[in-house]
Amino acid sequence: MPATAVAALSCPVCAAPLAAGEGEALLRCPAGHSFDRARQGHVSLLPPGHRPPSGDSAAMVADRSAFLAAGHYAGVSAALADAALGEEDAAAPSTLLDLGGGTGQHLAAVLDRAPAAAGIVLDSSPYAARRAARAHPRAMAVVADTWARLPVRDAAVDRVLVVFAPRNGPETARVLRPGGRLVVVTPAPDHLAEIVGPLGLLRVDPGKAQRLSDSLEPHLVPVDVRAHRQVLSLDHAAVATLVGMGPHARHLTTAGLAASLGRLPSPVEVTISVDIGRYRRAR
């Protein structure tokens, strides 16, 4: 486990700092609360008896891993890294936290361009955490509830990344260092426009931008926002994987999706359209 990442963590029971011990297979706080590292490499930092909201299933995680590994969202990862690392008046980050980071592939792309940084993927899905534990040698994976108090120390991270995941404004502001940034990737109204109707996918809420603002303010204030747009040419298998890795998977049956895909040409042109916003702590 990267020492820089471990130093940013806190005990989910008493909020004291955590440290590695016993061959780095264990995290322990001064009060004696301890948390074992699973054989797959991730650590669960859930308070005793706490059950987080249902995370991505094993099938959803497998689809996400396959789709991202194929490079289809490489442009999104690159745009995320540009936003996280390219601000001239912000210090280079040493610690990054990817909230709801899933398999860790977006964080890995950012770490590849930040050789002095370490990262933490925090997700409620143990299936995602198992894969995230192997995403990058300078990253570690933690199972936790992103809606509750984060198992992260106050003012401990330089960047918080949120890619298509829920935002916890008060907790993000708490864990950000002064001068740090929250970088949020959200779908724009024309995201996946060519397949939303034909496949019966969930549409982007027209009020999404306002809901994002409401979830972050007054704890965080906007710095800027930029758009990333590209068009992918995907075969039916890739489209099925794209649908299966997101929330659409919970609303469609395999047979229904296959039937709808059969009525589309192959390959299918699919627009990837996201907005990338940067935020800082309110003064």
Side-chain angles (χ1 to χ4, degrees):
M1 292 181 285
T4 303
V6 171
L9 297 175
S10 66
C11 176
V13 179
C14 65
L18 289 174
E22 298 185 16
E24 296 191 348
L26 184 79
L27 293 178
R28 185 189 300 275
C29 77
H33 304 120
S34 60
F35 308 89
D36 290 321
R37 188 182 190 186
R39 59 183 179 84
Q40 295 92 345
H42 63 284
V43 178
S44 178
L45 294 182
L46 292 167
H50 183 87
R51 296 181 62 86
S54 177
D56 289 349
S57 66
M60 293 171 69
V61 169
D63 278 346
R64 179 183 298 185
S65 182
F67 191 84
L68 297 181
H72 299 308
Y73 269 10
V76 175
S77 294
L80 172 68
D82 289 342
L85 306 174
E87 194 171 357
E88 293 182 359
D89 61 347
S94 62
T95 310
L96 299 96
L97 173 65
D98 192 353
L99 286 181
T103 58
Q105 282 152 295
H106 290 302
L107 175 63
V110 179
L111 289 175
D112 281 343
R113 290 173 48 182
I120 303 164
V121 176
L122 194 154
D123 201 281
S124 62
S125 169
Y127 305 108
R130 291 170 189 171
R131 294 181 184 259
R134 305 189 298 271
H136 197 280
R138 285 183 279 115
M140 66 179 297
V142 173
V143 176
D145 184 353
T146 58
W147 287 116
R149 179 183 172 87
L150 303 177
V152 179
R153 299 173 65 181
D154 294 355
V157 299
D158 301 293
R159 300 290 186 275
V160 175
L161 313 177
V162 180
V163 183
F164 299 148
R167 284 82 52 183
N168 186 330
E171 280 297 283
T172 298
R174 180 182 66 79
V175 304
L176 268 179
R177 290 188 178 122
R181 293 290 185 264
L182 163 67
V183 185
V184 183
V185 179
T186 54
D190 56 335
H191 185 57
L192 310 183
E194 298 85 352
I195 60 174
V196 167
L199 300 185
L201 306 185
L202 300 172
R203 297 182 182 274
V204 176
D205 181 358
K208 193 174 188 68
Q210 185 59 50
R211 288 195 295 107
L212 170 61
S213 176
D214 292 343
S215 70
L216 299 178
E217 297 178 8
H219 313 283
L220 298 129
V221 295
V223 174
D224 57 26
V225 63
R226 59 186 69 182
H228 171 76
R229 307 286 187 275
Q230 67 182 114
V231 178
L232 303 180
S233 182
L234 303 176
D235 60 24
H236 284 183
V239 174
T241 304
L242 170 60
V243 173
M245 75 179 194
H248 318 285
R250 296 189 173 98
H251 302 274
L252 300 172
T253 65
T254 302
L257 176 60
S260 298
L261 274 172
R263 293 189 287 270
L264 294 178
S266 185
V268 184
E269 287 196 344
V270 179
T271 297
I272 305 303
S273 180
V274 300
D275 294 323
I276 304 172
R278 291 192 291 201
Y279 298 79
R280 62 169 174 81
R281 286 171 49 181
R283 300 189 186 283

